[in-house]
Amino acid sequence: MSPLELDFDSCYRAVSARDARFDGRFYTAVTTTRIYCRPICPARTPSSRNVRFYRHAASAEAAGFRPCKRCRPELSPGDPGWDLRGDLIGRALRLIDDGAADEHGVAGLAGRLHITERHLHRLFVAELGVGPLAVARTKRLLLAKQLLTETGLPVTEVAFAAGFGSVRQFNATMRETYGFTPSELRATAGGPKDAHATGPATLRLRLHRREPFDVEGVFAFLASRAIPGLEVADRTSYARTVPGGTITLTPRRDHIALDVAVDDTRQLARVVARCRRLLDLDADPDAITAVLGETSLAPLVKARPGLRVPGAFDGFELAVRAVVGQQISVAGARTLLGRIVARAAAPESLFPTPGHLLDTDLTGLGLTNRRIDTLKHLAARLAEGRIDLDGGQDPAEAVTGLLEVPGIGPWTASYIALRALRDPDAWPTGDLVLKKRMACLGIPDNHIERWRPWRAYAALHLWSSS
């Protein structure tokens, strides 16, 4: 949907009501102030003749508007419409969030999607009114704005953490786009002063979410599956090692606090994006409830409002979890996964990469020879780029590729699609726990089709019911 396709009256009503359901779905630009805001901005509602609506923050900035310092568009939850789309635009936006454009440029982004740079640009302009380079630049600027406002990270470090190639480029871009320098923003924001740490930078950022959000359900799910030596989790926090450091996620009243300690802040954009996917922060609980709440799952939906489908910090890691967890208990899978991490002896207790796992001897850990073969075949295909589980490949193609791996069947592929590929309609075919829960609740098999397009959330409701 392009900016011109937004329904003006509907958007204006949402802005007048400060309706939080629309936060992140569009942005309101005011022609008299040249500022763009979130729909929930507490400022006085502007006259309808002075507003324009844009589908993406980059579109508003390209039209010459700068972000509001009061409602802070950088804190908007992601648009669930983009988050769930498996087409080229949806995947490209997720890769941009993951830092792919900053690391490899737009040409590298297009290559990851197996299309030409020209075709990618054409798709973006048709959907958003701006190209992928403008979207990536806006992502960098908004992350920088959040870092300048919420942390004491030195301005030099902010520039590189946000993906800029130099401090000079950072200063020039911010002045050109926003009308002020990074130092001027920090001075007026009233946040922490510059910190000059000698070790890994320790930062705290706020990750906003849509309400309702089933905090207990998400954190309990992650805690029950935490891999020894890699993760530490309970119902109130989740911590793990990441390349170059650690992260901790802690629920707060209206957001998730992300504490990051890393020695390379250039990885920050990727960490933030993956934490959002891990906790499913950009889901649309109202849309999910509207469908599932009218089916045989209604009692479960009412009992667990805001239930989320926990994602994955890394696609390959999740795939290995799924393979190891075939036909054994969650506790048993944790034990085996902990042994794999320990045997791989990855730096800083990181989960092994596909290449690293290929070089690791997995015998003697309690895995069957068949399971080891499956893991090796899986790692080889990801290392060769034949399967991409981190956003670059069409989900249906990724599932097809997974099913070609010896030892991976429909249940495993569907579970990977549900969590790593973020397919909201994935259904773990043949799952015994789901069958038992449905039988206990008297739900016939033909009701599964009634839960489309949210069958992944239906599965979580059944798994978490007792």
Side-chain angles (χ1 to χ4, degrees):
M1 179 184 294
S2 72
L4 297 178
E5 292 173 324
L6 291 171
D7 182 77
F8 186 93
D9 291 338
S10 298
C11 291
Y12 193 73
R13 284 195 298 271
V15 170
S16 299
R18 296 177 175 79
D19 194 332
R21 293 176 300 172
F22 294 89
D23 191 15
R25 295 178 182 273
F26 67 85
Y27 296 88
T28 306
V30 184
T31 58
T32 53
T33 63
R34 307 306 298 175
I35 289 173
Y36 73 92
C37 303
R38 300 159 69 184
I40 62 170
C41 186
R44 185 177 66 180
T45 303
S47 170
S48 60
R49 66 176 179 271
N50 296 327
V51 301
R52 304 288 185 271
F53 296 111
Y54 292 92
R55 190 74 168 83
H56 197 281
S59 306
E61 292 189 4
F65 297 91
R66 62 184 186 276
C68 176
K69 292 183 181 179
R70 189 169 181 183
C71 67
R72 301 182 59 196
E74 69 270 19
L75 298 182
S76 293
D79 185 336
W82 297 121
D83 184 56
L84 296 174
R85 286 175 56 163
D87 61 4
L88 283 167
I89 290 289
R91 281 146 49 205
L93 287 170
R94 283 193 287 278
L95 290 175
I96 289 173
D97 286 346
D98 208 43
D102 296 331
E103 190 172 351
H104 303 293
V106 175
L109 174 65
R112 181 87 177 268
L113 296 165
H114 303 289
I115 59 175
T116 65
E117 188 175 350
R118 177 178 295 182
H119 183 48
L120 180 64
H121 182 82
R122 185 165 53 244
L123 290 173
F124 266 73
V125 171
E127 290 268 4
L128 297 173
V130 294
L133 185 62
V135 172
R137 186 181 73 164
T138 294
K139 283 288 181 183
R140 289 195 294 269
L141 285 169
L142 291 177
L143 176 58
K145 187 171 180 290
Q146 184 176 9
L147 291 170
L148 290 167
T149 303
E150 296 182 4
T151 77
L153 194 65
V155 171
T156 300
E157 288 294 319
V158 169
F160 296 115
F164 289 91
S166 69
V167 178
R168 184 175 182 178
Q169 179 195 38
F170 176 41
N171 281 314
T173 303
M174 183 160 276
R175 181 183 287 278
E176 175 189 358
T177 308
Y178 292 168
F180 46 73
T181 66
S183 298
E184 289 169 345
L185 172 61
R186 172 159 282 170
T188 59
K193 301 300 181 183
D194 281 8
H196 299 278
T198 56
T202 301
L203 310 171
R204 168 166 287 194
L205 295 174
R206 288 188 288 171
L207 306 182
H208 281 243
R209 68 208 190 201
R210 283 189 175 81
E211 301 292 350
F213 183 82
D214 181 19
V215 169
E216 182 178 351
V218 170
F219 281 83
F221 185 95
L222 295 175
S224 66
R225 292 161 176 79
I227 300 176
L230 178 74
E231 302 166 296
V232 177
D234 57 29
R235 292 175 182 266
T236 61
S237 69
Y238 170 86
R240 65 170 291 145
T241 56
V242 297
T246 61
I247 63 167
T248 301
L249 295 161
T250 310
R252 295 290 184 252
R253 182 181 61 83
D254 61 352
H255 67 278
I256 302 294
L258 167 62
D259 290 301
V260 189
V262 291
D263 54 18
D264 183 0
T265 54
R266 289 174 296 181
Q267 300 300 315
L268 194 56
R270 178 174 287 116
V271 168
V272 170
R274 295 190 176 199
C275 286
R276 296 198 67 85
R277 291 200 292 270
L278 178 67
L279 301 182
D280 197 14
L281 295 181
D282 297 327
D284 185 350
D286 292 322
I288 297 164
T289 298
V291 173
L292 299 184
E294 298 298 322
T295 70
S296 49
L297 291 177
L300 302 184
V301 174
K302 184 178 180 180
R304 301 295 289 271
L307 176 140
R308 298 297 205 268
V309 174
F313 193 84
D314 176 80
F316 175 64
E317 176 188 310
L318 192 281
V320 172
R321 288 174 183 262
V323 170
V324 171
Q326 292 172 346
Q327 300 176 335
I328 64 173
S329 67
V330 172
R334 285 183 62 197
T335 299
L336 292 176
L337 289 162
R339 291 173 183 170
I340 291 174
V341 172
R343 172 69 64 83
E348 304 170 7
S349 298
L350 295 173
F351 197 87
T353 63
H356 197 176
L357 190 68
L358 279 172
D359 295 334
T360 300
D361 179 8
L362 299 179
T363 59
L365 300 180
L367 296 164
T368 64
N369 289 335
R370 183 178 179 184
R371 197 64 46 85
I372 292 173
D373 288 342
T374 298
L375 291 174
K376 295 290 186 177
H377 279 292
L378 175 66
R381 297 190 186 208
L382 267 79
E384 295 166 0
R386 295 163 64 185
I387 301 175
D388 186 337
L389 300 179
D390 287 321
Q393 191 171 24
D394 177 270
E397 292 180 4
V399 168
T400 299
L402 288 168
L403 290 172
E404 293 173 352
V405 176
I408 290 185
W411 180 90
T412 305
S414 296
Y415 185 79
I416 295 170
L418 184 149
R419 294 191 60 194
L421 302 179
R422 311 299 303 137
D423 180 356
D425 202 38
W427 178 259
T429 304
D431 187 279
L432 295 178
V433 174
L434 292 179
K435 288 185 175 183
K436 290 180 180 178
R437 296 286 165 84
M438 288 175 65
C440 289
L441 295 170
I443 300 175
D445 288 346
N446 61 11
H447 280 211
I448 295 173
E449 290 300 309
R450 302 180 186 181
W451 301 332
R452 290 184 182 273
W454 305 110
R455 293 188 301 173
Y457 292 86
L460 261 290
H461 273 296
L462 290 166
W463 276 332
S464 61
S465 65
S466 57

